Amino acid sequence: MEILKGADVVAAMNTKMKEELTQFSDNIPHLAIIRVGERPDDLSYERGAKKRMDTIGLRCSTYSYPNTITETEFKQEFLAINSNPDIDGILLLRPLPKHIDENEIAALIDPKKDIDGISPINMAKVFAGNEDGFAPCTAEAVIEMLDYAKIPLTGKKAVIVGRSLVVGKPLAMLLLKKNCTVTICHTKTMDLPTTCKNAELLIACAGQAKVINHSYVSPQAIVIDVGINLDENEKLCGDVDLESISSAASFVTPVPGGVGTVTTSVLAKHVIQAAKKRINH
């Protein structure tokens, strides 16, 4: 079993992005991170994203607001950032507090700045196979890892366990574009292990700690673990029980150190792409 580490993918992506940045003079691409409240996972992702932007040489500004901000006030702040011509990309940390309508905010974002693919316009473009739209960063990070490993995808039977709009559904569209035959599973799927066992490429994004064990994995399957959970000992783990599947899988991504590591590099890639579109239009 070969472990496909995110660090190797990130290093290759970062080298390429640094080269691309030499095309920019003074107007370095600029990311805005918007956060409401102080959720630990939001703060952790924000730190990781800022560090990645710094490493590559991108500008990054954070806009943080208290949980008590009203929906009206937040909309005003959001629209000001959205219309700022100096900002190329916007990352909205979610979920937002319950009193703010997340769908309404997602509909307001400028699709050209929507680098995490949350706007209905970008979602539609991803589902239509239109490369002009930004896909959610985590879904695209999976594709980056498969591309880096030079895994041929045409004709492969892919099974995705998870149907969220953040990973499962957009990832299915990205894999279809790569000519995979895709099955999406979920909590209501009958006899899930048998369906998963038919997969040559198995992607776990169900959000359940170590749910995928040896009974789900066919010999020589490629297993991509997108899950981020805490196990019974409060340690970070994925949706895949790595020890259990080690004798079956050919490739597997670890947690931590796998897909999550690549996600912020995809974010940076999207910021650069957004800046290029701004310059060329």
Side-chain angles (χ1 to χ4, degrees), residues 163-265:
R163 53 177 167 176
S164 75
L165 274 173
V166 177
V167 187
K169 288 177 181 175
L171 180 53
M173 297 302 110
L174 296 176
L175 288 171
L176 281 172
K177 200 167 172 58
K178 294 275 192 179
N179 300 313
C180 285
T181 300
V182 183
T183 302
I184 301 181
C185 299
H186 43 78
T187 52
K188 300 292 189 289
T189 299
M190 301 290 283
D191 194 8
L192 183 58
T194 299
T195 303
C196 291
K197 202 120 189 176
N198 285 325
E200 296 168 285
L201 171 60
L202 178 60
I203 299 163
C205 49
Q208 293 180 35
K210 299 182 181 179
V211 67
I212 304 295
N213 59 35
H214 65 91
S215 66
Y216 291 72
V217 179
S218 65
Q220 296 303 299
I222 297 150
V223 182
I224 307 292
D225 192 352
V226 187
I228 297 177
N229 314 285
L230 292 174
D231 65 12
E232 63 277 5
N233 301 314
E234 295 294 300
K235 281 191 169 180
L236 205 61
C237 70
D239 288 0
V240 176
D241 187 339
L242 201 60
E243 196 175 320
S244 173
I245 71 157
S246 61
S247 59
S250 61
F251 266 101
V252 68
T253 61
V255 176
V259 176
T261 315
V262 180
T263 300
T264 47
S265 284

